[in-house]
Amino acid sequence: MHKLIRRLFRFLFILMILALAYALYGRDVVPANWHSILDPTSFVVIALFTVWVAIWIFQRHFRYRDLSLERIDDMDGFDFERFCAYLLKRNGYRHITVTQESGDQGVDIIATKDKVKYGIQCKRYNGFVGNRAVQEVWAGHEYYELDGAIVLTNSTFSDSAIELADELGVTLIDRDEFRKMLRRLPS
């Protein structure tokens, strides 16, 4: 699907360049009887391209503007993963990849920060996040041969999960740290 969208965007971009070239330079060269067709066509192409780019900018930069923890708590799992990827980007992580929904080996996001490649498990919970999340991200960290492992949640961790994470070297980001990360969202 993403390849199709990219191809459509490239095609529209080429059409937009042609439309701009016509509007700026081509009207003087083209026969006058073609103006009745080419003028509205170039206008529509330029308008479509402008709308497409505006939607892309909104989706990319402002979709999660002024998002509250309560709205985050109501997200489904996959939306939460995509939001976490965006949040990580706003907090300095780069080369962010959201893994497939199933069969991800315990890693929902792979991201790099300060030349360290992390596997991140995103858990949108209402109660305590237990040992299983730490075990899953540790297994995925080994599977993908990553440098670090993080469990990111909108909730809190059980004592045994904290103990296991300390032993394995897994970083835990709980609701308080998550709230601090939210400060980097556009407002």
Side-chain angles (χ1 to χ4, degrees), residues 88 91-95 111-118 147:
L88 290 167
N91 281 274
Y93 289 82
R94 299 290 172 247
H95 310 290
T112 304
K113 185 172 185 178
D114 301 327
K115 298 182 181 177
V116 178
K117 201 168 187 180
Y118 293 98
D147 303 320

Side-chain angles (χ1 to χ4, degrees), residues 23 34 50 65 78 82 134 141-142 147 151 175 178 184:
W34 288 19
T50 304
R65 183 179 181 160
F78 190 64
R82 287 185 293 184
V134 176
H141 150 269
E142 293 293 319
D147 303 320
V151 180
R175 191 171 185 89
F178 192 76
R184 298 241 181 210

Side-chain angles (χ1 to χ4, degrees), residues 123-176:
K123 290 293 184 186
R124 187 195 52 77
Y125 267 40
N126 292 327
F128 289 112
V129 177
N131 281 0
R132 185 172 178 190
V134 176
Q135 293 166 348
E136 287 175 355
V137 77
W138 182 255
H141 150 269
E142 293 293 319
Y143 178 82
Y144 289 110
E145 299 176 358
L146 303 170
D147 303 320
I150 299 172
V151 180
L152 176 66
T153 185
N154 65 324
S155 186
T156 56
F157 294 96
S158 67
D159 292 338
S160 61
I162 294 169
E163 183 181 328
L164 181 61
D166 285 341
E167 184 67 31
L168 295 176
V170 174
T171 303
L172 300 179
I173 299 175
D174 64 1
R175 191 171 185 89
D176 293 334

Side-chain angles (χ1 to χ4, degrees), residues 39-52:
D39 286 352
T41 303
S42 65
F43 174 79
V44 167
V45 167
I46 293 169
L48 281 173
F49 183 79
T50 304
V51 168
W52 186 312

Side-chain angles (χ1 to χ4, degrees), residues 52-103:
W52 186 312
V53 170
I55 291 170
W56 178 80
I57 288 171
F58 176 80
Q59 287 290 325
R60 184 125 178 151
H61 298 290
F62 298 108
R63 176 176 28 169
Y64 298 118
R65 183 179 181 160
D66 296 327
L67 195 62
S68 67
L69 269 173
E70 291 74 28
R71 283 195 42 217
I72 294 168
D73 292 341
D74 292 336
M75 288 181 178
D76 68 23
F78 190 64
D79 285 340
F80 183 70
E81 289 174 13
R82 287 185 293 184
F83 170 71
C84 287
Y86 177 77
L87 186 63
L88 290 167
K89 182 177 181 180
R90 298 292 298 184
N91 281 274
Y93 289 82
R94 299 290 172 247
H95 310 290
I96 298 168
T97 306
V98 178
T99 60
Q100 59 189 3
E101 282 187 65
S102 61

